[in-house]
Every structure is written in C-alpha cells, then in structure tokens.
Amino acid sequence: MIDLRSDTLTRPTAAMRRAMAEAEVGDDVFGEDPTVRTLEEETAELLGTEAAMYVPSGHMANQLGLYIATLSGQEVWAHEQHHLIGSEQAAAAVLSRVQPRLYSGDPWPSNTLLRDWYARAQGDVHHAEPGLVWSENTFSGLVVPLSEQRRVTAFARAHGMRSHLDGARLWNAAAALEVPHAQVAEGFDSVSVCFSKGLGAPVGSALAGDAETIRRARRGRKLLGGGMRQAGIIAAGALYALRHHRDRVVEDHARAATLAERISGLPGITARARTNMVLVETPAGEAEEYAKAFARHGIRALGSGDRVRLVVHLDITDRDVEEAARSITEAVTDLGCSPHSVVTSSV
Ligand SMILES: *Cc1c(COP(=O)(O)O)cnc(C)c1O
C-alpha cells in the first residue's frame, strides 16, 4: 500500500529516533527541559517572533491562539473550510466561547467583506463584537499570497481586532513562495506551526508570538492539561525535523506536481497539484467511490464529495509516485468500465 491519506502518517527516521533517544531532558513545566527550550528558541527565531511554545498538537496551538486573543462572546472571522471550523470539533465554542462568522468560496476575505462585517457590529447592540481574524497558509494546499495576508492583518490591526495564522503547513507555503519563514508569519499576533506534518516529526506543534502572548499561552496550556514534563524526548524529534527536513519539502512539491501531471489526462477526472497535495476532482458525489477504487489498486487516499486528496510526504519516493500514477490510471480505467459509472455518466 502507498499511503497518500495525509502528511501526518510519516514515521520518525533512524537519525530522528537517535536524536530522541539521546535527548537531554528536564522538567518542562518548571521550564527546565533544555531540548524543549532549544526547539522553542529556534522556532521563534525562524518565525521572527519573540517567543514560541511547544504543544502536543496543532489543535491545541490553534485553540490557545484563539483563547488568549478573544473575550467570551466575541466573533472569530474564518473561512468555513478552515481547520478551526471543520476539524477541531466545537472547541472554539466550548473553550473560548466565541461565535464564528464564516465566509465561503474565495479563500480569503475581500476588503468589502471585512468592512461590511465590521460596520455591522458598530453601534448596534444586536451584533457580537469582532474579536479575531483567522487565516490559514497553506489552505488545503493552496498558497495564500502574502499581499492578501498583509491586507487582512493590516485591517485587523487598524480595527482593534487580533489576527492568528494557522500555519500547520507554513513550511510548505514559505518553500513555495521562496521567502524566509518569518515573512509568512509577519503581521500576525500569533502563529501556529506543525512539526508532525510535512516535517515528519512524531509529535507536536508550536504557537509563536510576542513574549506576552506566549506567557499567557503558557498559562492556557497548563489550564488545558498540556504541561508536559520530560518533553525533550519528543521535542528532540521535532527539533531534528525542523533542522533537517524543512528545506526538503520542495521535493514533496515536485513529486506532487509529477503525480498530478501523470494522472491529469485520465477520463472523468481532473488533477491539480497544490504544494504537497494533488486534488483530484471526480464526478459529483463519486469521490468516495474513486478512493475505494484507488485502495483496491494499492493506493490509500481520502475522498469526499467530488474531491480525492492525495498527499505527498517524507515517506513517499519517486518510485512510489510512478507506482501511484500507474495504479490510479488502472483504477480510473476500471471505474470507467464498471456498470456503476456507466449508469451515472449516461444520466
Ligand atoms: C493538521 C492541521 C492542524 C492541527 O493538527 P493536529 O492534528 O491537531 O496536530 C491545524 N491546522 C491545519 C490546517 C492542519 O492541517
């Protein structure tokens, strides 16, 4: 099986396991784990922030970013497909007691929309107060242009709102834009990054921001039960990934582009590469059917609605890409011959 369901599936490399086994550790709740501290310092330095904090998951990094930036009853402005909305249960409502205001379609909010939403809240007791503007980069593999991000963060600042970047795949965005990581993080009050996706570490994410933001986030992390003791053992994997796997994500992007190119001419589907992902558009409602057919040919992928997502990561080689392209070609050809698809395509 070639597993293209997610870039979270990577296993630690031998060198990473060695770094973990040999990590210097201490009690991180006392601030005494040297490996965690080094990871936090190097992350902050890369992102151009004063401080950063290691957390067990991207979910926790995001939720802490939201928790420290908002008051109960305020609004968080986000896209309906942001991870915050679709993949973190109702944590925003439960933990921060905020109300999401959602846009859809375009991947980032226009100035008209921002101004309209802000104007509505002014002087009208019916409406919730605007609190935080949420961004995500990459967003389903899509690189959000820095000019759009800057427009949104400038709006937030000018209107007394805060801003957060969900940068779980910020590494991919910076690589695709060919800019330093700090440029992607610039302008936001807080930024979350993930070590266990494209970078290939087994555990953890970080929240970055100014010293006061991170001081408050540390209190929040303890409140949620996220204070970890000899966390250097896992932080060492993240530190190894940060130092050694950051620049290689361009290889994933190149492999995704190759895979998309190999399968894009197949009948009934279109395939587009976006950073480390290939998005396959199927006939409406048939994505699950396609994902099942891919699995019968040895390729694991996630499909829903009219989209199958193939994610290239650290454990995927050039040979895997060639094999995946061949298997997907067979699967799509089989589907084309099956009674199911003949029926749907003739309707
Ligand atoms: C994976 C992901 C997260 C959070 O990941 P965890 O699984 O909680 O570590 C947050 N945002 C985005 C965009 C993600 O893809």
Side-chain angles (χ1 to χ4, degrees):
M1 276 292 196
I2 296 172
D3 202 336
L4 300 175
R5 285 174 301 163
S6 175
D7 44 8
T8 55
L9 295 160
T10 54
R11 308 234 163 79
T13 61
M16 190 186 283
R17 283 176 189 270
R18 255 194 316 279
M20 295 172 74
E22 290 164 8
E24 264 190 77
V25 297
D27 189 328
D28 184 53
V29 176
F30 288 107
E32 292 173 6
D33 188 300
T35 307
V36 172
R37 288 174 74 145
T38 304
L39 173 66
E40 292 177 343
E41 282 160 17
E42 289 191 18
T43 303
E45 172 142 7
L46 266 176
L47 298 178
T49 59
E50 282 178 358
M53 176 183 65
Y54 186 49
V55 287
S57 68
H59 179 129
M60 190 184 281
N62 276 346
Q63 290 303 324
L64 285 174
L66 178 64
Y67 178 74
I68 60 177
T70 50
L71 295 172
S72 165
Q74 287 187 331
E75 282 182 347
V76 52
W77 296 355
H79 191 284
E80 63 168 359
Q81 283 165 15
H82 278 164
H83 193 277
L84 172 75
I85 303 304
S87 303
E88 298 178 22
Q89 294 191 14
V94 174
L95 301 174
S96 297
R97 298 185 295 163
V98 292
Q99 172 155 278
R101 180 178 284 278
L102 304 177
Y103 57 95
S104 54
D106 291 345
W108 43 80
S110 68
N111 274 339
T112 313
L113 179 112
L114 292 170
R115 277 197 293 265
D116 183 45
W117 282 3
Y118 190 81
R120 249 184 236 217
Q122 292 306 295
D124 185 336
V125 293
H126 291 90
H127 297 294
E129 270 182 6
L132 179 74
V133 186
W134 198 264
S135 299
E136 194 175 300
N137 204 0
T138 63
F139 177 28
S140 302
L142 180 75
V143 178
V144 178
L146 298 186
S147 56
E148 300 296 345
Q149 279 195 177
R150 301 234 157 92
R151 193 172 51 68
V152 170
T153 55
F155 181 94
R157 188 141 303 161
H159 294 80
M161 297 179 73
R162 290 176 61 100
S163 59
H164 174 89
L165 175 65
D166 178 347
R169 296 192 180 88
L170 178 144
W171 320 111
N172 301 86
L177 290 164
E178 299 182 17
V179 298
H181 301 88
Q183 276 192 35
V184 185
E186 197 182 310
F188 292 95
D189 293 301
S190 58
V191 178
S192 61
V193 288
C194 195
F195 303 116
S196 63
K197 293 217 163 129
L199 297 190
V203 188
S205 283
L207 183 72
D210 67 22
E212 175 59 11
T213 295
I214 299 307
R215 186 193 68 78
R216 294 184 54 223
R218 268 185 212 288
R219 288 193 55 80
R221 183 183 68 175
K222 193 74 180 78
L223 177 78
L224 295 179
M228 299 180 285
R229 301 298 179 177
Q230 284 70 35
I233 290 282
I234 50 174
L239 185 58
Y240 185 92
L242 188 68
R243 287 177 178 170
H244 301 281
H245 295 165
R246 205 172 68 230
D247 295 331
R248 66 149 301 286
V249 296
V250 292
E251 296 174 25
D252 298 336
H253 299 181
R255 290 190 177 110
T258 303
L259 180 57
E261 195 189 305
R262 294 273 197 284
I263 62 175
S264 62
L266 295 174
I269 62 163
T270 62
R272 271 170 309 150
R274 278 185 184 169
T275 56
N276 65 331
M277 300 183 193
V278 178
L279 304 176
V280 178
E281 306 288 341
T282 68
E286 291 187 27
E288 267 182 78
E289 197 68 36
Y290 274 74
K292 279 186 200 150
F294 294 177
R296 287 195 294 274
H297 289 266
I299 307 300
R300 299 187 83 178
L302 296 177
S304 79
D306 54 6
R307 179 182 282 183
V308 180
R309 191 184 79 159
L310 309 166
V311 189
V312 177
H313 51 74
L314 184 63
D315 294 349
I316 300 298
T317 62
D318 287 333
R319 185 190 281 203
D320 291 332
V321 166
E322 292 306 330
E323 195 177 325
R326 263 196 311 276
S327 303
I328 288 170
T329 303
E330 285 167 17
V332 172
T333 310
D334 275 7
L335 273 175
C337 304
S338 77
H340 167 77
S341 278
V342 170
V343 171
T344 40
S345 59
S346 64
V347 168

